[in-house]
Amino acid sequence: MKPPRGYAPLRLHRTTIPGASYFITVCTCDRRVGLNRPEIAGAIHAQLQALGGDAAIELRAWVVTPEHLHLFFTLTGRLTVGPIVGRLKAKTRASLLVQALRWQENFYEHRLRPGERVEDVLRYLFLNPYRAKLVSLTETYPHGGIGATDAEWLRATLDDQHPFPEWP
């Protein structure tokens, strides 16, 4: 029997575990560019801070690229993953529409399992704009950040000659 097509199969096995850390990727529809415009990236950052301020998530790291957002957080148990991403999309929709952008219908989600290294996820997020050549290695990418706890160990692993991700 063929599996059903579309996004529904992805949702069938979605599991939300309070206290677990999740790596999420949300893309623009048709991968249209523009998310990293300062007004859009600022709206995304403001909503991520609001989610953290409401204790819906413990925000660990994030980066906004031209056509997608990478987000790493720990669930507090107040909301599940779907409503968190839904709220983020709804609250930032108006900012995207100004630039004729909209969010893709679904999102990629990965829950870190025991034995998976947080360091790998954080390093991936940090290096993402540099690998994409959005900035040179001598510049700090302005549309991303890392929480203080995770920043401590990440800072120690980086070369002092390269920029460190800071909250804008």
Side-chain angles (χ1 to χ4, degrees):
M1 180 170 143
K2 279 181 141 179
R5 296 185 61 145
Y7 294 119
L10 294 173
R11 293 185 192 111
L12 285 176
H13 304 290
R14 187 167 281 160
T15 303
T16 297
I17 301 172
S21 292
Y22 287 82
F23 173 64
I24 305 290
T25 301
V26 186
C27 299
T28 58
C29 190
D30 300 325
R31 301 293 291 239
R32 293 198 50 196
V33 298
L35 282 185
N36 62 338
R37 294 179 61 95
E39 60 276 11
I40 296 175
I44 292 169
H45 183 215
Q47 185 53 35
L48 292 175
Q49 286 183 312
L51 283 163
D54 293 347
I57 61 171
E58 177 193 326
L59 186 58
R60 300 185 72 172
W62 61 282
V63 66
V64 178
T65 69
E67 76 284 334
H68 66 274
L69 162 69
H70 287 306
L71 177 59
F72 185 54
F73 60 85
T74 300
L75 279 181
T76 63
R78 291 197 68 214
L79 293 174
T80 60
V81 173
I84 288 167
V85 174
R87 177 176 156 183
L88 173 69
K89 287 180 174 183
K91 296 284 187 171
T92 57
R93 183 176 183 267
S95 297
L96 271 71
L97 286 175
V98 169
Q99 297 299 321
L101 296 173
R102 58 189 174 95
W103 291 113
Q104 181 177 316
E105 184 176 322
N106 208 3
F107 60 93
Y108 169 81
E109 162 197 353
H110 176 75
R111 177 177 47 87
L112 266 66
R113 279 29 174 219
E116 288 187 274
R117 294 169 23 110
V118 168
E119 295 86 0
D120 294 339
V121 174
L122 293 173
R123 193 168 279 113
Y124 178 84
L125 266 72
F126 171 66
L127 293 174
N128 197 270
Y130 298 97
R131 279 192 303 270
K133 299 189 183 341
L134 299 175
V135 290
S136 74
L137 288 176
T138 59
E139 298 175 277
T140 298
Y141 187 67
H143 307 301
I146 185 167
T149 303
D150 291 313
E152 286 182 35
W153 75 262
L154 183 60
R155 186 181 300 273
T157 69
L158 299 175
D159 183 337
D160 286 338
Q161 297 176 16
H162 292 98
F164 187 75
E166 301 287 351
W167 290 103

